[in-house]
Amino acid sequence: MKFNLISNKIAEIDVDTIILSIFMSNETTNGLVHDVDLALNGLISEILSRGDHKGKLREVTEIYTNGQIPADRIILVGLGPEKDFNENSIRHAAGAAALRARQLGSRKMASIIHGIEKSQISANYAVRAATEGTMLSLYSFGKYKSENKIDNIEEISFIKDEDIESKDLISGIEQGKIISNAVQLARDLVNEPPNICTPAFLAEQAMQIDDANTDVNILTESQIENLSMGAFLSVGRGSTRKPRFIVIEYNKKLLGQMQPLVLAGKAITFDTGGYSLKSASGMSTMKADMAGGAAVIGALQAASKLKVPYPVIGLIPATENMVSGTASHPSDIVTASNNKTIEIVNTDAEGRLILADALVYAAKYNPKHVIDLATLTGSAVIALGEGSAAALFAKDTNLADLLLTASESSGERIWRMPLYPEYTDWMKASNVADLRNSTAKRDTGIGTSAAFLQEFTEGFSWAHIDIAPMAFLSGSSVIKRLGPAGATGFGVRLLSHLMIEYAN
Ligand code: BES
Ligand code: MN
Ligand code: ZN
């Protein structure tokens, strides 16, 4: 999809669809909406005064122009109440309008820059959000469908006022495209079926982001063995698809001068639960158990394209949790790379095992912050609700605040949870090892999983985001999302916005 900028002369806008937006106050304060209204002899005013379009967020109404202006149709989209207006309202309005336009067979559309006449949001951020909302909403994963391919919109032009600097808008569009492409990459990886998306496949895909400033290194099983990552390796022992440790280093040349941001992502390419076997329904979405790793790959692609001015490292332990004669038994004891011993009480608590070794590895970079993303627990889904928010755990408030700020601007919701010392006590209560990977108590599931990871974060600032509620959504979730059911690419936008804001 192509993005352009055009000037605001209605008579010259040669597209099939013009997207206009309106707040719930229903005043046509936007100059362009006013101009179109005049050209259509007051048709928009009439629709609004009759209450046929109420300006509710994502509400869409199409209007046919009957040759009065060059565009065939107008799509009027609601921005919601002015008092709630933010960058995420723009994403949703742009997304809803683009979906309707595609449904109507639009190829070329033009859009006003939503809400800037009334809000504090700069034009740059507004077009960035509109670009994200448009691209993310139009996403589809059709590669394995032989019929019913979706025809996508070819071009969108943002209509600008003379007093807005083109260069601000161009950089906003550019950032929006980079972020959205990175989200789509993560979505594609998560949507791939588990017979295709193996640890080796994921490693190959990560190789594709290797560029002048990005080094991608793939460690194989024997190299992982040399690093004594006994916790990580134990998880993949039951699979014929061998593990990979994917190490992505962006701006490596700056590592001597600056402390990097390290991102770690859980990549279980399929989680059967192992001998602590899941039920058939529990397994149904477990191809998405590599969503944390996919988000980190996406974030590293974004870091390079956004030219983030400091080093960023991505660590992705990738493996498959299967059942076989070589798989872990419940009661096995394994030794992580920091020499801590772990009793595997439950083979389905595997994500923390692979992340433990990745977090220990992170320390060698002398990181400024380490953030891990993982579809770690079903209890996070129970705690917050599918599609509602991801669970944030952080040792220090400084890093938590950075993430919460990025959550605001990216629109990806996270909610901070406590790291009580009692959770750690639970995980240390093994009779035979330093730690156990699970407690028998269901009610402590989410806090104890984070407390377990914390044992591997000595000496650095660390946050853990349990993305299980957000990574893969069924169609039934009532919460409005940008894109179809399935993979969301959750975390890429959050991390991209963090990297942009943190640099400023
Ligand atoms: N990958 C799952 C967590 C999960 C569940 C993600 C549902 C998304 C949706 C994880 O490996 C797991 O199985 N966790 C267990 C841990 C328990 C055995 C301590 C869980 O949450 O039940
Ligand atoms: Mn599991
Ligand atoms: Zn898992």
Side-chain angles (χ1 to χ4, degrees), residues 266 268 271 273 278 282 285-286 289 321 346-352 375-381 437-439 445 466 468-469:
K266 168 180 172 180
I268 296 291
D271 183 12
K278 288 185 184 293
T285 58
M286 283 302 124
D289 212 19
N321 191 19
N346 189 318
T347 61
D348 198 11
E350 83 298 338
R352 61 200 74 183
T375 47
L376 205 65
T377 67
S379 37
V381 188
N437 77 333
S438 166
T439 68
D466 191 333

PDB file of all heavy atoms in Angstrom, residues 266 268 271 273 278 282 285-286 289 321 346-352 375-381 437-439 445 466 468-469, ligand 1:
ATOM      1  N   LYS A 266       9.895 -15.445  24.439  1.00  0.00           N
ATOM      2  CA  LYS A 266       9.617 -16.883  24.483  1.00  0.00           C
ATOM      3  C   LYS A 266       9.168 -17.360  23.103  1.00  0.00           C
ATOM      4  O   LYS A 266       8.226 -16.814  22.532  1.00  0.00           O
ATOM      5  CB  LYS A 266       8.511 -17.165  25.514  1.00  0.00           C
ATOM      6  CG  LYS A 266       7.936 -18.583  25.456  1.00  0.00           C
ATOM      7  CD  LYS A 266       6.831 -18.807  26.502  1.00  0.00           C
ATOM      8  CE  LYS A 266       6.136 -20.166  26.306  1.00  0.00           C
ATOM      9  NZ  LYS A 266       5.069 -20.410  27.292  1.00  0.00           N
ATOM     10  N   ILE A 268       8.161 -20.896  21.939  1.00  0.00           N
ATOM     11  CA  ILE A 268       7.806 -22.321  21.899  1.00  0.00           C
ATOM     12  C   ILE A 268       6.970 -22.487  20.633  1.00  0.00           C
ATOM     13  O   ILE A 268       5.854 -21.960  20.544  1.00  0.00           O
ATOM     14  CB  ILE A 268       7.002 -22.723  23.159  1.00  0.00           C
ATOM     15  CG1 ILE A 268       7.847 -22.567  24.432  1.00  0.00           C
ATOM     16  CG2 ILE A 268       6.478 -24.164  23.021  1.00  0.00           C
ATOM     17  CD1 ILE A 268       9.007 -23.547  24.580  1.00  0.00           C
ATOM     18  N   ASP A 271       3.325 -25.881  21.939  1.00  0.00           N
ATOM     19  CA  ASP A 271       3.309 -26.302  23.343  1.00  0.00           C
ATOM     20  C   ASP A 271       2.216 -27.337  23.571  1.00  0.00           C
ATOM     21  O   ASP A 271       1.045 -26.999  23.692  1.00  0.00           O
ATOM     22  CB  ASP A 271       3.095 -25.064  24.242  1.00  0.00           C
ATOM     23  CG  ASP A 271       3.134 -25.419  25.733  1.00  0.00           C
ATOM     24  OD1 ASP A 271       3.543 -26.557  26.057  1.00  0.00           O
ATOM     25  OD2 ASP A 271       2.774 -24.548  26.548  1.00  0.00           O
ATOM     26  N   GLY A 273       2.378 -29.172  26.173  1.00  0.00           N
ATOM     27  CA  GLY A 273       2.408 -29.343  27.621  1.00  0.00           C
ATOM     28  C   GLY A 273       3.459 -30.382  28.027  1.00  0.00           C
ATOM     29  O   GLY A 273       3.849 -30.462  29.177  1.00  0.00           O
ATOM     30  N   LYS A 278      -1.483 -31.075  27.841  1.00  0.00           N
ATOM     31  CA  LYS A 278      -2.664 -30.212  27.781  1.00  0.00           C
ATOM     32  C   LYS A 278      -3.859 -30.995  27.218  1.00  0.00           C
ATOM     33  O   LYS A 278      -3.672 -32.002  26.537  1.00  0.00           O
ATOM     34  CB  LYS A 278      -2.386 -29.026  26.842  1.00  0.00           C
ATOM     35  CG  LYS A 278      -1.429 -27.990  27.388  1.00  0.00           C
ATOM     36  CD  LYS A 278      -1.324 -26.809  26.424  1.00  0.00           C
ATOM     37  CE  LYS A 278      -0.294 -25.801  26.883  1.00  0.00           C
ATOM     38  NZ  LYS A 278      -0.670 -25.111  28.131  1.00  0.00           N
ATOM     39  N   GLY A 282      -7.041 -26.992  25.195  1.00  0.00           N
ATOM     40  CA  GLY A 282      -5.922 -26.203  25.734  1.00  0.00           C
ATOM     41  C   GLY A 282      -4.794 -26.059  24.732  1.00  0.00           C
ATOM     42  O   GLY A 282      -4.019 -25.095  24.765  1.00  0.00           O
ATOM     43  N   THR A 285      -4.573 -23.311  20.549  1.00  0.00           N
ATOM     44  CA  THR A 285      -3.923 -22.072  20.084  1.00  0.00           C
ATOM     45  C   THR A 285      -2.415 -22.085  20.372  1.00  0.00           C
ATOM     46  O   THR A 285      -1.768 -21.041  20.324  1.00  0.00           O
ATOM     47  CB  THR A 285      -4.540 -20.833  20.768  1.00  0.00           C
ATOM     48  OG1 THR A 285      -4.395 -20.973  22.184  1.00  0.00           O
ATOM     49  CG2 THR A 285      -6.012 -20.675  20.423  1.00  0.00           C
ATOM     50  N   MET A 286      -1.874 -23.265  20.659  1.00  0.00           N
ATOM     51  CA  MET A 286      -0.489 -23.292  21.130  1.00  0.00           C
ATOM     52  C   MET A 286       0.588 -23.166  20.033  1.00  0.00           C
ATOM     53  O   MET A 286       1.770 -23.147  20.315  1.00  0.00           O
ATOM     54  CB  MET A 286      -0.242 -24.524  22.009  1.00  0.00           C
ATOM     55  CG  MET A 286      -0.831 -24.340  23.397  1.00  0.00           C
ATOM     56  SD  MET A 286      -0.165 -22.878  24.241  1.00  0.00           S
ATOM     57  CE  MET A 286      -1.638 -21.978  24.636  1.00  0.00           C
ATOM     58  N   ASP A 289       2.473 -19.972  20.815  1.00  0.00           N
ATOM     59  CA  ASP A 289       3.304 -19.887  22.020  1.00  0.00           C
ATOM     60  C   ASP A 289       4.711 -19.357  21.714  1.00  0.00           C
ATOM     61  O   ASP A 289       5.566 -19.309  22.591  1.00  0.00           O
ATOM     62  CB  ASP A 289       3.362 -21.268  22.697  1.00  0.00           C
ATOM     63  CG  ASP A 289       3.483 -21.180  24.209  1.00  0.00           C
ATOM     64  OD1 ASP A 289       3.169 -20.114  24.773  1.00  0.00           O
ATOM     65  OD2 ASP A 289       3.924 -22.173  24.823  1.00  0.00           O
ATOM     66  N   ASN A 321       7.763 -28.007  22.630  1.00  0.00           N
ATOM     67  CA  ASN A 321       7.469 -28.800  23.830  1.00  0.00           C
ATOM     68  C   ASN A 321       6.613 -30.005  23.452  1.00  0.00           C
ATOM     69  O   ASN A 321       5.399 -29.889  23.314  1.00  0.00           O
ATOM     70  CB  ASN A 321       6.757 -27.903  24.855  1.00  0.00           C
ATOM     71  CG  ASN A 321       6.635 -28.552  26.231  1.00  0.00           C
ATOM     72  OD1 ASN A 321       7.360 -29.506  26.550  1.00  0.00           O
ATOM     73  ND2 ASN A 321       5.726 -28.040  27.049  1.00  0.00           N
ATOM     74  N   ASN A 346       6.197 -29.561  36.665  1.00  0.00           N
ATOM     75  CA  ASN A 346       5.168 -29.599  35.621  1.00  0.00           C
ATOM     76  C   ASN A 346       5.837 -29.267  34.288  1.00  0.00           C
ATOM     77  O   ASN A 346       6.382 -28.178  34.111  1.00  0.00           O
ATOM     78  CB  ASN A 346       4.083 -28.566  35.970  1.00  0.00           C
ATOM     79  CG  ASN A 346       2.872 -28.675  35.071  1.00  0.00           C
ATOM     80  OD1 ASN A 346       2.995 -28.863  33.859  1.00  0.00           O
ATOM     81  ND2 ASN A 346       1.698 -28.557  35.650  1.00  0.00           N
ATOM     82  N   THR A 347       5.777 -30.224  33.348  1.00  0.00           N
ATOM     83  CA  THR A 347       6.478 -29.987  32.065  1.00  0.00           C
ATOM     84  C   THR A 347       5.768 -28.935  31.220  1.00  0.00           C
ATOM     85  O   THR A 347       6.315 -28.471  30.216  1.00  0.00           O
ATOM     86  CB  THR A 347       6.590 -31.290  31.235  1.00  0.00           C
ATOM     87  OG1 THR A 347       5.267 -31.755  30.938  1.00  0.00           O
ATOM     88  CG2 THR A 347       7.370 -32.363  31.988  1.00  0.00           C
ATOM     89  N   ASP A 348       4.563 -28.554  31.627  1.00  0.00           N
ATOM     90  CA  ASP A 348       3.827 -27.509  30.900  1.00  0.00           C
ATOM     91  C   ASP A 348       4.255 -26.101  31.334  1.00  0.00           C
ATOM     92  O   ASP A 348       3.865 -25.118  30.715  1.00  0.00           O
ATOM     93  CB  ASP A 348       2.317 -27.711  31.104  1.00  0.00           C
ATOM     94  CG  ASP A 348       1.469 -26.980  30.067  1.00  0.00           C
ATOM     95  OD1 ASP A 348       2.043 -26.496  29.068  1.00  0.00           O
ATOM     96  OD2 ASP A 348       0.245 -26.899  30.266  1.00  0.00           O
ATOM     97  N   ALA A 349       5.049 -26.014  32.378  1.00  0.00           N
ATOM     98  CA  ALA A 349       5.585 -24.702  32.778  1.00  0.00           C
ATOM     99  C   ALA A 349       6.964 -24.563  32.134  1.00  0.00           C
ATOM    100  O   ALA A 349       7.997 -24.463  32.811  1.00  0.00           O
ATOM    101  CB  ALA A 349       5.646 -24.579  34.291  1.00  0.00           C
ATOM    102  N   GLU A 350       6.983 -24.609  30.795  1.00  0.00           N
ATOM    103  CA  GLU A 350       8.241 -24.680  30.041  1.00  0.00           C
ATOM    104  C   GLU A 350       8.791 -23.310  29.632  1.00  0.00           C
ATOM    105  O   GLU A 350       9.988 -23.163  29.433  1.00  0.00           O
ATOM    106  CB  GLU A 350       8.058 -25.564  28.795  1.00  0.00           C
ATOM    107  CG  GLU A 350       7.446 -24.870  27.560  1.00  0.00           C
ATOM    108  CD  GLU A 350       6.037 -24.343  27.758  1.00  0.00           C
ATOM    109  OE1 GLU A 350       5.339 -24.840  28.656  1.00  0.00           O
ATOM    110  OE2 GLU A 350       5.639 -23.418  27.029  1.00  0.00           O
ATOM    111  N   GLY A 351       7.891 -22.335  29.505  1.00  0.00           N
ATOM    112  CA  GLY A 351       8.337 -21.022  29.023  1.00  0.00           C
ATOM    113  C   GLY A 351       9.372 -20.404  29.939  1.00  0.00           C
ATOM    114  O   GLY A 351      10.384 -19.859  29.504  1.00  0.00           O
ATOM    115  N   ARG A 352       9.137 -20.545  31.237  1.00  0.00           N
ATOM    116  CA  ARG A 352      10.063 -19.974  32.220  1.00  0.00           C
ATOM    117  C   ARG A 352      11.423 -20.659  32.170  1.00  0.00           C
ATOM    118  O   ARG A 352      12.441 -20.063  32.502  1.00  0.00           O
ATOM    119  CB  ARG A 352       9.433 -20.036  33.620  1.00  0.00           C
ATOM    120  CG  ARG A 352       9.124 -21.427  34.091  1.00  0.00           C
ATOM    121  CD  ARG A 352       8.104 -21.464  35.219  1.00  0.00           C
ATOM    122  NE  ARG A 352       6.747 -21.186  34.751  1.00  0.00           N
ATOM    123  CZ  ARG A 352       5.681 -21.093  35.531  1.00  0.00           C
ATOM    124  NH1 ARG A 352       5.803 -21.224  36.844  1.00  0.00           N
ATOM    125  NH2 ARG A 352       4.496 -20.852  35.029  1.00  0.00           N
ATOM    126  N   THR A 375       4.138 -15.584  26.211  1.00  0.00           N
ATOM    127  CA  THR A 375       2.803 -16.150  26.454  1.00  0.00           C
ATOM    128  C   THR A 375       2.988 -17.150  27.584  1.00  0.00           C
ATOM    129  O   THR A 375       3.000 -18.353  27.367  1.00  0.00           O
ATOM    130  CB  THR A 375       2.284 -16.858  25.188  1.00  0.00           C
ATOM    131  OG1 THR A 375       3.344 -17.704  24.680  1.00  0.00           O
ATOM    132  CG2 THR A 375       1.870 -15.883  24.108  1.00  0.00           C
ATOM    133  N   LEU A 376       3.149 -16.626  28.804  1.00  0.00           N
ATOM    134  CA  LEU A 376       3.677 -17.473  29.873  1.00  0.00           C
ATOM    135  C   LEU A 376       2.623 -18.254  30.648  1.00  0.00           C
ATOM    136  O   LEU A 376       2.857 -19.403  31.011  1.00  0.00           O
ATOM    137  CB  LEU A 376       4.530 -16.638  30.836  1.00  0.00           C
ATOM    138  CG  LEU A 376       5.581 -17.441  31.608  1.00  0.00           C
ATOM    139  CD1 LEU A 376       6.627 -18.027  30.666  1.00  0.00           C
ATOM    140  CD2 LEU A 376       6.269 -16.603  32.673  1.00  0.00           C
ATOM    141  N   THR A 377       1.494 -17.624  30.931  1.00  0.00           N
ATOM    142  CA  THR A 377       0.531 -18.329  31.790  1.00  0.00           C
ATOM    143  C   THR A 377      -0.926 -18.163  31.362  1.00  0.00           C
ATOM    144  O   THR A 377      -1.345 -17.083  30.930  1.00  0.00           O
ATOM    145  CB  THR A 377       0.608 -17.844  33.267  1.00  0.00           C
ATOM    146  OG1 THR A 377       0.163 -16.497  33.355  1.00  0.00           O
ATOM    147  CG2 THR A 377       2.000 -17.981  33.831  1.00  0.00           C
ATOM    148  N   GLY A 378      -1.666 -19.242  31.530  1.00  0.00           N
ATOM    149  CA  GLY A 378      -3.112 -19.187  31.372  1.00  0.00           C
ATOM    150  C   GLY A 378      -3.726 -18.294  32.450  1.00  0.00           C
ATOM    151  O   GLY A 378      -4.772 -17.680  32.243  1.00  0.00           O
ATOM    152  N   SER A 379      -3.055 -18.195  33.594  1.00  0.00           N
ATOM    153  CA  SER A 379      -3.651 -17.384  34.673  1.00  0.00           C
ATOM    154  C   SER A 379      -3.611 -15.888  34.360  1.00  0.00           C
ATOM    155  O   SER A 379      -4.423 -15.133  34.889  1.00  0.00           O
ATOM    156  CB  SER A 379      -3.022 -17.685  36.037  1.00  0.00           C
ATOM    157  OG  SER A 379      -1.666 -17.927  35.925  1.00  0.00           O
ATOM    158  N   ALA A 380      -2.721 -15.464  33.469  1.00  0.00           N
ATOM    159  CA  ALA A 380      -2.747 -14.055  33.034  1.00  0.00           C
ATOM    160  C   ALA A 380      -4.022 -13.790  32.245  1.00  0.00           C
ATOM    161  O   ALA A 380      -4.624 -12.718  32.350  1.00  0.00           O
ATOM    162  CB  ALA A 380      -1.519 -13.736  32.183  1.00  0.00           C
ATOM    163  N   VAL A 381      -4.434 -14.795  31.447  1.00  0.00           N
ATOM    164  CA  VAL A 381      -5.663 -14.652  30.666  1.00  0.00           C
ATOM    165  C   VAL A 381      -6.869 -14.575  31.620  1.00  0.00           C
ATOM    166  O   VAL A 381      -7.767 -13.749  31.446  1.00  0.00           O
ATOM    167  CB  VAL A 381      -5.856 -15.828  29.676  1.00  0.00           C
ATOM    168  CG1 VAL A 381      -7.034 -15.569  28.747  1.00  0.00           C
ATOM    169  CG2 VAL A 381      -4.582 -16.098  28.885  1.00  0.00           C
ATOM    170  N   ASN A 437       9.629 -25.401  39.114  1.00  0.00           N
ATOM    171  CA  ASN A 437       9.099 -24.579  38.003  1.00  0.00           C
ATOM    172  C   ASN A 437       7.603 -24.337  38.132  1.00  0.00           C
ATOM    173  O   ASN A 437       7.025 -23.643  37.319  1.00  0.00           O
ATOM    174  CB  ASN A 437       9.455 -25.182  36.637  1.00  0.00           C
ATOM    175  CG  ASN A 437       8.592 -26.369  36.250  1.00  0.00           C
ATOM    176  OD1 ASN A 437       8.066 -27.070  37.141  1.00  0.00           O
ATOM    177  ND2 ASN A 437       8.440 -26.606  34.956  1.00  0.00           N
ATOM    178  N   SER A 438       6.990 -24.896  39.165  1.00  0.00           N
ATOM    179  CA  SER A 438       5.554 -24.706  39.322  1.00  0.00           C
ATOM    180  C   SER A 438       5.170 -25.021  40.759  1.00  0.00           C
ATOM    181  O   SER A 438       5.843 -25.821  41.421  1.00  0.00           O
ATOM    182  CB  SER A 438       4.828 -25.638  38.357  1.00  0.00           C
ATOM    183  OG  SER A 438       3.466 -25.716  38.683  1.00  0.00           O
ATOM    184  N   THR A 439       4.102 -24.415  41.218  1.00  0.00           N
ATOM    185  CA  THR A 439       3.541 -24.786  42.517  1.00  0.00           C
ATOM    186  C   THR A 439       2.267 -25.565  42.227  1.00  0.00           C
ATOM    187  O   THR A 439       1.758 -25.525  41.120  1.00  0.00           O
ATOM    188  CB  THR A 439       3.157 -23.543  43.337  1.00  0.00           C
ATOM    189  OG1 THR A 439       2.054 -22.899  42.691  1.00  0.00           O
ATOM    190  CG2 THR A 439       4.317 -22.570  43.445  1.00  0.00           C
ATOM    191  N   GLY A 445      -0.598 -18.737  40.161  1.00  0.00           N
ATOM    192  CA  GLY A 445       0.023 -19.017  38.866  1.00  0.00           C
ATOM    193  C   GLY A 445       0.759 -17.873  38.216  1.00  0.00           C
ATOM    194  O   GLY A 445       1.874 -18.035  37.723  1.00  0.00           O
ATOM    195  N   ASP A 466       3.674 -10.623  30.414  1.00  0.00           N
ATOM    196  CA  ASP A 466       2.976 -11.860  30.070  1.00  0.00           C
ATOM    197  C   ASP A 466       1.894 -11.496  29.051  1.00  0.00           C
ATOM    198  O   ASP A 466       0.862 -10.909  29.383  1.00  0.00           O
ATOM    199  CB  ASP A 466       2.365 -12.492  31.327  1.00  0.00           C
ATOM    200  CG  ASP A 466       1.860 -13.918  31.075  1.00  0.00           C
ATOM    201  OD1 ASP A 466       1.498 -14.227  29.915  1.00  0.00           O
ATOM    202  OD2 ASP A 466       1.831 -14.720  32.030  1.00  0.00           O
ATOM    203  N   ALA A 468       0.126 -13.537  27.224  1.00  0.00           N
ATOM    204  CA  ALA A 468      -0.845 -14.612  26.940  1.00  0.00           C
ATOM    205  C   ALA A 468      -2.263 -14.092  26.663  1.00  0.00           C
ATOM    206  O   ALA A 468      -2.943 -14.624  25.786  1.00  0.00           O
ATOM    207  CB  ALA A 468      -0.860 -15.640  28.078  1.00  0.00           C
ATOM    208  N   PRO A 469      -2.734 -13.034  27.364  1.00  0.00           N
ATOM    209  CA  PRO A 469      -4.105 -12.580  27.059  1.00  0.00           C
ATOM    210  C   PRO A 469      -4.234 -11.896  25.695  1.00  0.00           C
ATOM    211  O   PRO A 469      -5.357 -11.693  25.229  1.00  0.00           O
ATOM    212  CB  PRO A 469      -4.403 -11.560  28.175  1.00  0.00           C
ATOM    213  CG  PRO A 469      -3.346 -11.752  29.215  1.00  0.00           C
ATOM    214  CD  PRO A 469      -2.154 -12.303  28.507  1.00  0.00           C
TER     215      PRO A 469
HETATM  216  N1  BES B   1       1.885 -21.423  26.904  1.00  0.00           N
HETATM  217  C1  BES B   1       1.238 -21.684  28.130  1.00  0.00           C
HETATM  218  C2  BES B   1       0.437 -20.491  28.663  1.00  0.00           C
HETATM  219  C3  BES B   1      -0.778 -20.060  27.859  1.00  0.00           C
HETATM  220  C4  BES B   1      -2.018 -20.583  28.147  1.00  0.00           C
HETATM  221  C5  BES B   1      -0.666 -19.097  26.886  1.00  0.00           C
HETATM  222  C6  BES B   1      -3.134 -20.157  27.426  1.00  0.00           C
HETATM  223  C7  BES B   1      -1.762 -18.669  26.162  1.00  0.00           C
HETATM  224  C8  BES B   1      -3.005 -19.191  26.432  1.00  0.00           C
HETATM  225  C9  BES B   1       2.267 -22.032  29.186  1.00  0.00           C
HETATM  226  O1  BES B   1       3.394 -22.707  28.744  1.00  0.00           O
HETATM  227  C10 BES B   1       1.605 -22.915  30.189  1.00  0.00           C
HETATM  228  O2  BES B   1       1.224 -23.988  29.835  1.00  0.00           O
HETATM  229  N2  BES B   1       1.484 -22.437  31.427  1.00  0.00           N
HETATM  230  C11 BES B   1       0.877 -23.164  32.476  1.00  0.00           C
HETATM  231  C12 BES B   1       1.755 -23.058  33.691  1.00  0.00           C
HETATM  232  C13 BES B   1       1.365 -23.965  34.815  1.00  0.00           C
HETATM  233  C14 BES B   1       1.624 -25.398  34.416  1.00  0.00           C
HETATM  234  C15 BES B   1       2.173 -23.605  36.029  1.00  0.00           C
HETATM  235  C16 BES B   1      -0.487 -22.562  32.746  1.00  0.00           C
HETATM  236  O3  BES B   1      -0.630 -21.350  32.744  1.00  0.00           O
HETATM  237  O4  BES B   1      -1.435 -23.338  32.941  1.00  0.00           O
END
